[in-house]
Amino acid sequence: MIPVSGQALAAARKPLWKMRHSWSWWSIPSLLLLWMLLATQFPSYILPQVWDVAGEGLDWLRSGEIWPHAIASLLEEVGGFGAAIIVSVICGFLAGFYRPFREYLVPINGLFMAIPPIAWAPLMLIIFGIGYTTIVIVIFISAVNPMILTIMEGVLQIQGQEVRAARALGARRWQLFVYVYLPASLPFITAALRIGFSQAWRALVAAEMIGASQGLGWMVSTGGEIGNSRQVLLGIVLIGTFSYLFERLLFRQIEKRYEVWRLT
Amino acid sequence: MQTAESSGGSDLVIRDLHYSYDGNLPIFTGLDLQVQAGEFLAIIGPSGCGKSTLLNLLSGFASPERGRVQLRDRVIRPEDPGLGYVFQRPNLFPWLTAIENVEFGLRMSGMPAAQRRQRALHYFQLVGLAGFENYLTTRLSGGMQQRVSLARALALEPALLLMDEPFSALDAITRETMNDELLRIWDTLGQTVIFITHEIEEAIYLADRIVVLARPPAGIYRSHGNELPRPRSSQTTKTSPLFWEYKKRLIGDIAAVMRQQPVDDAELVEMGLSVATDHA
Ligand SMILES: Nc1ncnc2c1ncn2[C@@H]1O[C@H](COP(=O)(O)OP(=O)(O)OP(=O)(O)O)[C@@H](O)[C@H]1O
Ligand SMILES: [Mg+2]
């Protein structure tokens, strides 16, 4: 779909041994080291050691207890974020193309952006009760608004010159969309996905802490309630890891496809 | 009158053209121009006199406020396959490679992949870019980008080719080669070409007729037929007495056009005129 040839991509890639040494390799290990040092100063039930938390994780894995929580969180994320992708792409493009719709949408968008999404959680709890629906709706609200805004502004930025060139080359309405607007919008659609995903993930954890009976956020909050700091830290590590994996495995990969041509 | 025109082989007709941007200062008030099929017309005039605007009206990107612009009795749309447009800037698609840019128009018209690659390669080589097929356009120099843009328009083999200062970003040597290439292509394909330029010599070298445009809203200042024999070549054409005669006339015209309103010297220099030209 993305019409950048393999050769052009390969030319932009450097072999491993020519890559600059990156200090980023030190950031996570140094943080772990700090944790270990701090943990020596506290009793284990307050601040457990790294390996204690790892052990806790193994226990959860072995008993299989971890899966319902991880899966619940992922399903909620998929539901809320997925719906937000569909709605924001449609609304973002419409708002980018049609001024009346844009004028109508922008204030609504601004209103929702001004309210921290988690503030909707209690209302959703009253309406839908504890469970999937409540959390998905909170996630959706938190992700969809910044995504619409990002896509709309991206569409507005697509250069009229490229569209003119395509029209002069015979591109009709739908061809313009497929061959110009779509590839030209890839960079900011990825940006929107990124923003949306992280907003949704934050909202998910927060919402689970308020109104859920399972999930990673629930692990953290119940861990806190029963004074199990290992469980709390395990939850935090998992939340961070999932987020990191999505970033690396999904968004980074999409971005690589166009970073060669993005105007420098 | 209509029939008289058609029998004369008139191709592109502009009648009583009125245009202004958002009702501001009018750019054209009653412009008339006819271009024969297969004619090579050059339009020359000071910066801001409305040359790009005229091409926008010709291509259908803009619509006249009054009057008509027609190609063989039909209103022109930008999407028409018979129309090619080389813009003042390259306007390439940065997500495509150079050769894919040249293929773009053929792809829109649904030509099979193998055939369109072959055609694209032909024009790609014609503009002297062989070897750069798979480069991303952001990795090409400005002049090379402009040549991709030329090949992209040519690949459709349009019957009407609009060119807005297509070579102004090129160095003198490349420019000369491009001029020769353009003449050769025009010889074989026989399109109607409307070529906008700042360069008097370029206009004389290329065109059958040269229209001098005055500052808005005055419209056409004068039209010069160009009797220089074809085929033309830099060596013989640009040294012939007739060439210098035309050049003298055009310099005179442009100086006159410039004098219609106060201008600064920098603009005269840009037109290839010495500042010494009298300002009275
Ligand atoms: N989009 C626009 N909106 C309003 N005015 C415009 C617009 N484009 C051009 N103009 C005005 O119209 C006039 C003619 O512009 P145009 O671009 O056609 O000039 P030009 O002859 O092509 O100049 P150049 O040689 O510098 O390219 C100028 O005075 C300019 O200020
Ligand atoms: Mg112009």
Side-chain angles (χ1 to χ4, degrees):
Chain A
M1 177 70 241
I2 301 112
V4 168
S5 79
Q7 283 140 299
L9 271 175
R13 231 175 257 149
K14 273 187 190 167
L16 201 61
W17 61 89
K18 278 194 182 163
M19 284 207 288
R20 196 179 63 86
H21 163 75
S22 166
W23 287 95
S24 67
W25 292 108
W26 295 100
S27 18
I28 302 291
S30 71
L31 214 59
L32 285 176
L33 198 70
L34 184 68
W35 174 0
M36 285 189 258
L37 285 177
L38 275 177
T40 59
Q41 304 301 311
F42 294 93
S44 170
Y45 63 90
I46 293 182
L47 183 60
Q49 268 296 354
V50 174
W51 43 87
D52 291 332
V53 173
E56 178 88 11
L58 274 180
D59 288 346
W60 282 72
L61 260 179
R62 235 179 259 132
S63 66
E65 246 183 296
I66 189 73
W67 300 119
H69 299 292
I71 289 170
S73 287
L74 282 179
L75 281 182
E76 287 156 1
E77 179 79 5
V78 167
F81 180 48
I85 293 177
I86 295 169
V87 172
S88 66
V89 167
I90 294 172
C91 289
F93 270 98
L94 280 179
F97 288 137
Y98 300 111
R99 177 198 283 269
F101 186 60
R102 175 161 70 245
E103 288 172 348
Y104 167 78
L105 196 68
V106 164
I108 299 177
N109 208 250
L111 180 72
F112 274 93
M113 301 266 281
I115 302 164
I118 195 62
W120 297 103
L123 181 64
M124 297 306 146
L125 267 176
I126 295 170
I127 302 174
F128 298 103
I130 284 187
Y132 187 73
T133 319
T134 296
I135 298 188
V136 164
I137 290 177
V138 174
I139 295 179
F140 174 80
I141 293 174
S142 67
V144 80
N145 289 293
M147 288 176 83
I148 289 177
L149 205 66
T150 310
I151 294 177
M152 181 187 85
E153 284 180 349
V155 171
L156 287 174
Q157 270 172 24
I158 293 179
Q159 287 185 9
Q161 298 304 323
E162 283 161 8
V163 177
R164 271 164 56 92
R167 285 185 64 194
L169 290 163
R172 309 268 158 183
R173 234 185 147 84
W174 69 268
Q175 288 177 317
L176 274 185
F177 188 78
V178 174
Y179 294 105
V180 179
Y181 280 104
L182 221 53
S185 63
L186 208 64
F188 56 79
I189 286 184
T190 321
L193 287 180
R194 256 210 177 116
I195 295 167
F197 179 85
S198 69
Q199 290 296 318
W201 193 242
R202 281 152 204 260
L204 169 125
V205 171
E208 278 181 346
M209 293 171 84
I210 296 175
S213 51
Q214 54 182 357
L216 300 175
W218 175 90
M219 266 177 76
V220 174
S221 70
T222 50
E225 279 158 24
I226 60 174
N228 183 348
S229 49
R230 293 180 189 199
Q231 184 181 323
V232 171
L233 279 166
L234 177 64
I236 290 175
V237 168
L238 287 176
I239 288 163
T241 309
F242 272 117
S243 191
Y244 177 81
L245 286 181
F246 267 99
E247 167 71 22
R248 280 277 129 177
L249 299 183
L250 196 62
F251 303 128
R252 233 0 248 148
Q253 297 309 312
I254 305 177
E255 209 174 47
K256 266 193 188 150
R257 309 230 44 173
Y258 64 76
E259 71 182 4
V260 259
W261 62 257
R262 196 169 45 175
L263 301 172
T264 42
Chain B
M1 184 188 109
Q2 197 76 2
T3 43
E5 268 175 24
S6 331
S7 63
S10 184
D11 193 358
L12 182 66
V13 178
I14 302 166
R15 268 276 166 277
D16 192 32
L17 178 70
H18 285 67
Y19 191 76
S20 64
Y21 282 101
D22 314 316
N24 285 332
L25 171 86
I27 309 290
F28 300 118
T29 51
L31 185 96
D32 290 309
L33 183 65
Q34 283 185 37
V35 188
Q36 307 294 116
E39 184 177 359
F40 199 127
L41 179 80
I43 298 178
I44 197 164
S47 180
C49 72
K51 303 184 294 295
S52 297
T53 308
L54 183 59
L55 283 201
N56 274 336
L57 288 159
L58 287 184
S59 56
F61 277 117
S63 314
E65 275 163 10
R66 218 175 85 197
R68 60 193 173 91
V69 176
Q70 287 178 330
L71 182 66
R72 284 190 217 92
D73 299 327
R74 285 191 43 228
V75 174
I76 308 170
R77 300 296 313 144
E79 292 83 3
D80 288 346
L83 178 79
Y85 200 144
V86 183
F87 297 91
Q88 203 162 351
R89 278 179 294 169
N91 296 345
L92 301 175
F93 308 114
W95 55 87
L96 299 179
T97 61
I99 191 75
E100 286 166 339
N101 264 278
V102 180
E103 281 179 60
F104 190 91
L106 303 170
R107 194 165 165 192
M108 295 304 104
S109 68
M111 185 183 277
Q115 195 184 342
R116 96 184 164 225
R117 174 57 60 105
Q118 201 183 1
R119 171 98 73 93
L121 278 172
H122 173 72
Y123 286 99
F124 203 74
Q125 283 157 9
L126 213 62
V127 297
L129 283 173
F132 293 97
E133 287 82 359
N134 292 317
Y135 272 60
L136 285 168
T137 56
T138 44
R139 302 272 154 91
L140 297 176
S141 76
M144 291 161 90
Q145 290 184 21
Q146 194 59 30
R147 281 185 275 161
V148 174
S149 145
L150 174 63
R152 187 173 68 171
L154 287 175
L156 279 170
E157 302 184 345
L160 173 62
L161 186 58
L162 307 177
M163 306 179 82
D164 194 349
E165 300 185 36
F167 306 139
S168 57
L170 304 182
D171 62 281
I173 299 166
T174 319
R175 185 181 192 134
E176 208 142 294
T177 345
M178 294 310 300
N179 280 342
D180 287 332
E181 287 305 341
L182 180 60
L183 282 186
R184 234 189 47 210
I185 294 163
W186 177 70
D187 256 345
T188 43
L189 297 181
Q191 318 97 315
T192 312
V193 181
I194 299 186
F195 189 98
I196 285 174
T197 179
H198 263 130
E199 285 276 321
I200 292 173
E201 292 199 13
E202 189 175 52
I204 304 171
Y205 183 55
L206 295 172
D208 293 324
R209 184 155 59 106
I210 301 156
V211 166
V212 180
L213 221 52
R215 288 175 179 279
I220 293 174
Y221 178 75
R222 193 174 298 169
S223 177
H224 297 264
N226 184 343
E227 302 294 330
L228 282 167
R230 295 187 189 270
R232 296 176 186 170
S233 76
S234 294
Q235 279 189 355
T236 54
T237 308
K238 290 190 180 171
T239 50
S240 75
L242 196 52
F243 186 88
W244 290 98
E245 176 57 31
Y246 286 139
K247 185 169 175 181
K248 210 161 69 188
R249 283 190 215 163
L250 279 166
I251 289 178
D253 274 9
I254 286 166
V257 163
M258 301 298 266
R259 247 184 267 120
Q260 289 173 343
Q261 263 174 42
V263 288
D264 54 339
D265 293 341
E267 218 169 345
L268 280 170
V269 173
E270 199 186 338
M271 300 295 302
L273 296 172
S274 80
V275 186
T277 317
D278 103 57
H279 253 253

